[in-house]
Amino acid sequence: MVPVYNEAANLAPLIERLKPVLDAQVASWEIVCVDDGSRDGTLAALRALHARDGRINAISFSRNFGKEVAIAAGLDHADGNVVVIMDADLQHPPEVIPAFLAKWREGFLNVYGQRTDRAGEGRLKRNFAKAFYRLFASFGETELPEGAGDFRLLDRRVVEALRALPERARFSKGLYAWVGFPATGVPFEVGERAHGESKFRFRKLFSFAFDGLSSFSTVPLKIATWLGVLIAIVATLTGLYFMVRTLLFGTDLPGFPSLIVSIMFFSGIQLISLGLIGEYVGRIFAEVKRRPLYLVGERVGFAKHDSVHPRGDALPPLIR
Ligand code: UDP
Ligand code: MG
């Protein structure tokens, strides 16, 4: 399954490269593309591809819901015994899929591609990613394997486990790790983006990172608490010191700057802690609203579902 957002130019080359690999590896396959509200003719390209080969199916969101949600929808609609998730921009080379399948046949249910280098990604992004993984590891109740991303093979059992997770805030990288199952990595080299540019601007990456941390850890909240405790202790000690000093040596009126500085410092800390709590409350709010995860505007293909669905149940609803 492939999440696609404004990738019209990449789709045909991707399918060209995927087909021979899949034909050589498995008896039957389908490609599920999730058009994440593209505005560049991606949907038309998908329709054309489906018209030429019925094994290429697509769903199209009513608007852009983000890659994480697109992946969730793809997993809802892909019904193979094995599902491979990959990007549309040819950064995930299809030629690695045989290696995934080999691992799967060895008994691994969750086979992830492991980036050997991040050369194509720019220094800022690379360092940011590194810092994030270090932070996640130290906060973590869940361990993320290094260099593992969304390029991976999932056994049906893993797919069903992921589909059963109800949360709206979907940090897939964490969820893959959270569900467990025997997992292993296959190293691969990230290719150059074929056409277009990355959809992840720095700001988006930052909020993505905080989403990841906050949905897998409450450590940021604990940090606020401990910071508060620490500062309270320091304040008490300082208070005692001044009391003793005043008793022994009397008052000296100056001290105005330190007063201002400490007031500002503490109100800063309080606002940060409040904001942090607010972030979590906001996320709780988003979860309890139980808005649908995505809205499907159109389905392209999935003809076989009209007869007998392999999983025996109905086509997934247009809303989830
Ligand atoms: N993508 C998506 N929805 C979005 C942003 C990206 O489905 O809102 C898809 C995109 O089409 C591509 C994949 O996610 O197939 C990875 O995106 P991109 O290559 O822009 O990210 P990068 O490789 O720079 O991390
Ligand atoms: Mg990319």
Side-chain angles (χ1 to χ4, degrees):
M1 71 118 325
V2 188
V4 281
Y5 179 47
N6 296 343
E7 307 275 11
N10 287 326
L11 279 170
L14 171 74
I15 305 281
E16 271 331 290
R17 260 177 78 182
L18 251 176
K19 264 190 186 170
V21 176
L22 295 176
D23 281 333
Q25 288 294 316
V26 288
S28 97
W29 53 264
E30 67 167 347
I31 298 173
V32 175
C33 294
V34 179
D35 167 23
D36 187 8
S38 304
R39 266 165 294 179
D40 71 334
T42 293
L43 183 57
L46 286 170
R47 280 197 208 106
L49 286 165
H50 172 72
R52 259 189 287 156
D53 187 336
R55 292 172 296 183
I56 300 161
N57 300 313
I59 56 177
S60 172
F61 284 170
S62 61
R63 63 168 171 87
N64 180 252
F65 280 90
K67 183 184 178 187
E68 304 297 310
V69 176
I71 289 175
L75 294 181
D76 284 344
H77 285 78
D79 50 24
N81 293 327
V82 167
V83 178
V84 174
I85 306 172
M86 65 191 300
D87 284 0
D89 55 1
L90 289 163
Q91 284 191 299
H92 296 163
E95 292 73 26
V96 182
I97 293 175
F100 281 4
L101 282 164
K103 286 285 176 199
W104 176 69
R105 292 191 185 108
E106 278 174 38
F108 292 101
L109 304 184
N110 193 343
V111 186
Y112 49 86
Q114 226 163 357
R115 260 170 299 223
T116 45
D117 68 309
R118 284 175 166 266
E121 294 208 297
R123 259 219 358 247
L124 190 68
K125 211 164 157 181
R126 217 157 52 221
N127 287 334
F128 182 73
K130 226 193 221 154
F132 170 74
Y133 284 110
R134 205 166 298 151
L135 207 63
F136 199 95
S138 57
F139 283 8
E141 285 122 45
T142 310
E143 235 176 276
L144 294 186
E146 202 172 319
D150 288 315
F151 185 28
R152 54 177 66 227
L153 172 151
L154 304 174
D155 182 84
R156 181 87 249 150
R157 278 165 274 183
V158 182
V159 173
E160 291 309 323
L162 288 169
R163 291 185 62 208
L165 300 179
E167 58 238 76
R168 320 277 99 182
R170 300 195 77 88
F171 180 65
S172 329
K173 282 191 189 80
L175 299 180
Y176 302 133
W178 185 89
V179 293
F181 294 104
T184 188
V186 173
F188 78 99
E189 233 170 86
V190 183
E192 288 283 329
R193 186 169 236 290
H195 297 279
E197 52 181 32
S198 173
K199 273 80 192 181
F200 287 88
R201 296 273 146 72
F202 203 69
R203 221 186 58 165
K204 206 163 151 193
L205 267 186
F206 194 80
S207 77
F208 177 63
F210 191 78
D211 270 348
L213 278 180
S214 62
S215 55
F216 276 87
S217 165
T218 50
V219 173
L221 290 177
K222 287 180 195 136
I223 291 179
T225 314
W226 286 114
L227 211 62
V229 171
L230 192 77
I231 289 171
I233 292 172
V234 172
T236 315
L237 292 179
T238 324
L240 281 175
Y241 165 75
F242 276 115
M243 207 169 87
V244 173
R245 209 178 76 162
T246 314
L247 286 176
L248 295 181
F249 307 108
T251 49
D252 44 349
L253 197 56
F256 215 59
S258 60
L259 203 66
I260 295 295
V261 168
S262 61
I263 287 176
M264 287 199 327
F265 178 70
F266 293 122
S267 28
I269 297 283
Q270 279 171 8
L271 284 178
I272 292 172
S273 316
L274 260 181
L276 212 53
I277 296 167
E279 290 283 344
Y280 278 89
V281 174
R283 279 165 176 72
I284 295 169
F285 184 47
E287 296 288 341
V288 298
K289 271 191 290 191
R290 303 209 59 83
R291 291 242 174 97
L293 197 55
Y294 56 81
L295 301 174
V296 176
E298 184 181 333
R299 277 203 184 103
V300 180
F302 294 104
K304 66 178 189 303
H305 294 268
D306 296 337
S307 47
V308 183
H309 193 264
R311 273 208 314 276
D313 47 29
L315 200 56
L318 292 172
I319 292 180
R320 184 169 98 102

